[in-house]
Amino acid sequence: MLELPDATTPAPASAEGSGSGRVALGARPPARPPDPAQGGAAQAHGTTLALRAQGFAFGAARQAHETPLALRAQGFAFGAARQAHETPLALRAQGFAFGAARQAHAEAAGVKPAQAAGRSQGRAPDRPAEGTRATAQPSRTPEAPTHDVTLQVHGRVQGVGFRPFVFRLAHELALDGWVRNDGGGVTIALRGPAGALARFGVRLRSELPPLARLDEVQEQAGAAIDRPGFRIVASAHTPVCTGIVPDAAPCEACLDDLFDPRGRRWRYAFTNCTHCGPRFTITARLPYDRPSTSMAGFVQCPTCQREYDDPRDRRFHAQPNACPLCGPRLWLTDAHGVPLDGDDAIAVALARVAGGQIVAMKGLGGFHLVCDARNAAAVARLRERKQRDEKPFAVMVANVASLAGLAGVDAAGAAALQSIERPIVLLPKAAGCDAALAGIAPGLAQVGVMLPGTPLHWLLFHEAAGRPAGRAWLHAAQRLVLVMTSANPGGEPLVVGNDEAVLRLGAAAGLADAFVMHDREVLVRCDDSVVRVDVLAAADPVPDPARGLPAAAPPPALSFVRRARGYTPAAIRLADAAPPVLALGAYLKTTACLTRGAEAFLSQHIGDLDNAPSRSALEEAASHLQRALEVRPAAIAHDLHPDIYSTQLAQQLAAQLGVPAIGVQHHHAHIAAIAAEHRHSGPLLGLALDGVGYGSDDDGSGTAWGGELLALDGARCTRLGHLRALALPGGDRAAREPWRMAAAVLHALGRADEIAPRFAQQPAAPTVAQMLCHGLRCPPTTSAGRWFDAAAGLLGVREVMAYEGQAAMLLEALAAQRPAARADGALYRIDRGVLDLLPLATRLAAERDAAAGAALFHATLAQALADWATAAARAHGLAAVALGGGCFLNAILSARLTAALRAQGLQVLAARQAPPNDGGLSLGQAWVARQLLKVN
C-alpha cells in the first residue's frame, strides 16, 4: 500500500526491492530542490518518485523518450484559488523548473504551454477538442516496457467529476485501463510505461477537480485489463468507504448556460454539472449514482444523455443532469396549493414579493420564506406570522457590490460569501443598515448575509435586473435585497415536501401567501450554514489541507455558528482509526455524528429537541448517516442528562443494536470536539463556557455547569475549577429573564433589598427577592452565560429575552462601540480554582453608561479568564488550551482571550470545523467514546 505523501515529506528517490516490478505513484513534488545525487529524471519533473521497473532505474533520457507528446487540455478546468493552494509551484531540480519538460513536449507538438496546462478559469469545454474522440490514444513508443497497477482512491471522489478527470489524464498519458466508482471510493486500473505511470501519480494529486479531495491512494501491482484503451466502467457495489459530497453553488460555466438566451438551459432553474449543484440533499445512499438520488425518476432526453455519456463533457455522469425537456420543473401555487396561471413562475413570484407578499420557495435542502427586505411592513408581517419578534433574519443580495451601505465586508468575508458553500456570513453593519433594512437585525452589530446559492436564487435577481444576456450584470450592484429565512414554523424542522409545505406553511398555517414548488424531491432536509469571520483564526494551528483537512471546511478565517448546507456531511479527519461510534448530541442545537475509521461525519443542524418533529428529525438524520455510509456503530454516545430525548434515544438504539451506550459529560464533550478536529494527542487544558450543561458532581446531583476549567487526557476529564456559582431564581426561567440573574447577583452582594425597587416593572421582583433570601427554587449554576445575562440585567440592556442568547448578543453589540476598553484587574478574584466576578458585578450595578459597562465587562472577563487558565496551565504542566462552548461565538471575548493566552506562550485551539456551541457536541461525544473503545 502506498499513501500519497504530504507536501512536506518527500518520497524516497529509491527503495529496496527494485526487482518487484512495482511503480511508486502519487508522490507530490518536494517543497525544496532535491539532492542532485538522487537521479535526473525525477528531479527534471520536480518529483521524488521511485521509478522502478524490472530492477532498472529510469534515467532522464529514457523518461524523455517515453513521455507522450501533445499533452492536450481536453478538459479539466481548475479555479485560480485551488491552483494557488494545491499546485506545487516553482519546484526546481538542478535549475530546472517543475513542468518545463511537459511544456517542452507540448510545444514540440504545437500546443501552447497555457493550453497544455488545461486550465481556463474554472471551466472545461463542453465538447472535445477538434479531431479527438473518446477512444483516441496518443501514440506510445513500441519498445517501452509496460507495467500494470491498480489504485484504490479514498476521499471525496464521487460526484465531483473525478472519473472523467482520470479518463482525460489517462488518455493524455497514453495509458490503458479503466476507472469505476465503488463503495471504497474509486478504483483505477492502469497499464503503461513506468514514466507515464509516475506522471499520472503526480498529476492525480496536483490537478484535482475543484470539489474533489484525496485522503489516501492504495496501490498494488497488477491489474485486470482485458483490452487496449482507457474507459469508464459501471460502478461496483462493495462495502461503502467513501462519503457524500456537500451541495455546491453554481459554477461559472453553468451560470454562462443559465444566462445565455441562445442556449437550451436559458433560465432553467436546475442547471448543474459535475462541478456544482445538489449532492447531499438528493442522495439516498452510496455509491453516488443517479438511481440512488431523487433524479432517478427523470429520464434524460437524448441530448442530456449524450452529455452524460461523454467523458469529455463537463456533465459526464453529473447525476442531477437535466434540461427543460426532461428534468424537474417549477410552478407557482396560491396559499392553498392550487397552481396559478403564468408562463414564468419566477417572474410572478418576484412580482408578488415586490408587492409585499411572503412567498415560500423550495430550494436545495427545503423551503425558504422570502420577502422584500427593504419593505419594513413585509418584514414585520413575516415576524408576526412566524412569531419571531426580534430574532434576526438573514438577507440575500446578488453580489458583494450590492452590500454598499448595508454591511462592511473585507477580503475574508467576501471570500466566504462567494465560496461554493454559500453560507450565511455575519458581517458588521454599515451606518445605514438599520434604516435601509428596518427590522432585520434589531439592536445587533452584525447582519447575516448570503449570496445566491442555486440557479433558482440567481433567477430572482436576474428577473429583477431585467433579464440581461450574459454574466456582466453579476458584477454590478443590484438593489434587490431579499429576506431568506428557513421555513420552519414554531422552531420545528425545515419544511421539505410540497404537500407538507401547504399544510405547515399555507393558508391554514397563515405563513405563506404563495409557493414556488418543484418536483425534484429533497431527500435530506438541510438548513443554511452560518459562519463568522474571525480575525485571529489564521494564527490557529489548523490541520494542513495536505494532511486531510476537508476541502469543504471553512478557510482559517472563518468559524461556524451553524454547520449545515454546503459543508455537511464533509468528513472531519481524525487522528487515527477506531471502532465506529454514533453520537446524538444533547438538547439544544442538536446534531448527530457518525465515525468511520479515521473520519467523523457530522450531520446537518437539527435544532432544539423541544418538539416531536425535531425529535423525529434527529432519528432521521442518524438513520440516514448509518444507511448512506453503511456503518453499524459499535457504541452510542450521549449527554449525561437522563431526561433529554437524545439520551433516551441513544439508550434505545444501543439496546436494539446490542452495543454499549456511553454517557459523556457536556463540557467534556465541548473540549473533546476541539481535540478531535485538531487531532490533538496528549493532555490538554479546556476552558468550556456556555449557558448550561448537566454536571458530573461527586454527589450525582447534576448541578448546572457552564463555566468550567478542565484537564483532558484521552477519555479522562478532570474539573480543575469553575466560575463562582450564582443562584437561578425560578430555575430555567432565569435563563430567559436576565433581570432574575441580576437579582441573584444583588443578593450575593448582600443587597437583596434593592431587587424590588430596581426591577419595579417586573411584578415577580418581590417574590424573587424572597426566594433568594430563603433559598427556595434557586438551584446553583456556574454558567458563564448566566454571568452575561446578569451583566445585561444590571446595565439595563435587557430584562426579558425574546430569543436564546439575545442579552449576550446585545451586550456584545454595545461593547463593540468601545473597542479600546481596558480590563480592570481589581474586579475579579481567583481562589482555589474558583473565578469570582462579583467585584465586576458591583461596578456594573453602579454604571449608568451601558456601552461603557458592556465594554468593561468584556475586557475584564477576557483578562480574568486568561489569568485563570494560565495559572492552571502552569500548575499542571499544560501547553495548549482549547476554547469550547457557545460563549465563544462572542467575537470580542474570543479575540481578547486568544490574544491574552498567546501572549502567555500558550497554544490556543478553537473550534473551526464544527461550531463551538452545542452543534459540535456530538463530535466530542463520539471522540470520547472512541477513546474508551480503543482502551477497552
Side-chain angles (χ1 to χ4, degrees), residues 106-107 110-117:
E107 289 170 355
V111 180
K112 294 180 180 180
Q115 294 171 325

Side-chain angles (χ1 to χ4, degrees), residues 18 231 696:
S18 58
R231 58 202 171 100
S696 54

Side-chain angles (χ1 to χ4, degrees), residues 69 106 108 233 246 336 377 416 571 654 694 701 729 737 768 833 853 856 865 893:
L69 300 182
V233 299
H336 298 278
Y694 192 85
S701 60
E737 300 181 8
V768 166
L856 174 66
L865 292 170
L893 176 65

Side-chain angles (χ1 to χ4, degrees), residues 491-493 584-592 605-619 639 643-650:
E492 295 180 359
L584 298 179
Y587 180 72
L588 302 175
K589 303 174 182 64
T590 309
T591 60
H605 168 83
I606 294 164
D608 302 348
L609 302 181
D610 55 1
N611 57 74
S614 293
R615 294 168 182 172
S616 296
L618 174 60
E619 297 179 28
D639 193 80
D643 298 328
I644 59 177
Y645 180 74
S646 57
T647 297
Q648 297 166 359
L649 176 62

Side-chain angles (χ1 to χ4, degrees), residues 155-166:
R156 186 181 301 158
V157 290
Q158 293 191 12
V160 295
F162 189 78
R163 288 178 300 169
F165 158 65
V166 169

Side-chain angles (χ1 to χ4, degrees), residues 581-925:
V581 172
L582 174 66
L584 298 179
Y587 180 72
L588 302 175
K589 303 174 182 64
T590 309
T591 60
C593 181
L594 183 63
T595 68
R596 184 188 64 191
E599 295 178 312
F601 297 87
L602 199 62
S603 80
Q604 68 276 29
H605 168 83
I606 294 164
D608 302 348
L609 302 181
D610 55 1
N611 57 74
S614 293
R615 294 168 182 172
S616 296
L618 174 60
E619 297 179 28
E620 176 185 298
S623 176
H624 180 258
L625 283 175
Q626 294 174 79
R627 183 175 63 254
L629 298 173
E630 294 186 3
V631 170
R632 184 183 188 276
I636 312 293
H638 59 85
D639 193 80
L640 285 183
H641 200 303
D643 298 328
I644 59 177
Y645 180 74
S646 57
T647 297
Q648 297 166 359
L649 176 62
Q651 293 169 344
Q652 293 171 11
L653 291 176
Q656 292 171 9
L657 295 173
V659 300
I662 299 175
V664 181
Q665 198 278 324
H666 191 95
H667 302 94
H668 184 186
H670 271 311
I671 304 305
I674 297 170
E677 69 158 282
H678 287 274
R679 301 198 282 282
H680 182 88
S681 59
L684 176 69
L685 183 67
L687 188 55
L689 307 179
D690 65 0
V692 64
Y694 192 85
S696 54
D697 303 84
D698 293 339
D699 62 2
S701 60
T703 299
W705 288 9
E708 313 305 316
L709 198 56
L710 308 173
L712 266 69
D713 190 358
R716 292 185 300 168
C717 178
T718 304
R719 191 188 197 194
L720 302 179
H722 55 81
L723 294 181
R724 174 178 175 141
L726 291 176
L728 278 171
D732 289 343
R733 187 165 183 176
R736 301 187 296 272
E737 300 181 8
W739 75 269
R740 289 176 180 256
M741 295 312 305
V745 167
L746 291 174
H747 174 262
L749 291 170
R751 297 161 57 179
D753 58 330
E754 298 179 23
I755 295 173
R758 189 177 188 113
F759 302 107
Q761 67 276 27
Q762 298 296 334
T767 302
V768 166
Q770 289 299 312
M771 290 167 57
L772 287 163
C773 290
H774 294 90
L776 299 174
R777 295 179 56 219
C778 293
T781 180
T782 58
S783 166
R786 301 294 77 81
W787 277 99
F788 274 89
D789 293 344
L794 291 170
L795 291 169
V797 173
R798 191 79 188 189
E799 292 190 357
V800 178
M801 291 190 288
Y803 56 89
E804 185 203 359
Q806 182 184 25
M809 294 167 69
L810 294 173
L811 202 66
E812 180 184 6
L814 286 171
Q817 299 174 16
R818 309 288 177 89
R822 306 182 74 145
D824 188 338
L827 299 181
Y828 57 89
R829 297 185 291 259
I830 301 173
D831 182 19
R832 288 176 291 186
V834 176
L835 175 58
D836 185 358
L837 300 173
L838 275 181
L840 175 58
T842 303
R843 175 76 66 85
L844 297 180
E847 181 61 64
R848 294 294 175 261
D849 183 337
L856 174 66
F857 175 78
H858 280 79
T860 302
L861 176 60
Q863 189 59 56
L865 292 170
D867 290 348
W868 189 37
T870 300
R874 290 173 178 166
H876 295 274
L878 300 172
V881 183
L883 307 181
C887 290
F888 289 109
L889 294 176
N890 184 306
I892 296 175
L893 176 65
S894 296
R896 282 183 172 270
L897 178 56
T898 298
L901 291 171
R902 286 179 178 158
Q904 294 297 322
L906 294 171
Q907 179 188 15
V908 179
L909 305 180
R912 293 289 169 252
Q913 297 185 64
N917 60 23
D918 286 7
L921 273 181
S922 61
L923 173 62
Q925 292 169 346

Side-chain angles (χ1 to χ4, degrees), residues 14 74 280 350 380 391 484 489 525 551 555 594-595 715 785 805 812:
S14 61
Q74 292 186 9
F280 175 57
L350 186 63
K391 192 173 182 179
M484 282 275 175
R525 71 185 79 230
L594 183 63
T595 68
E812 180 184 6

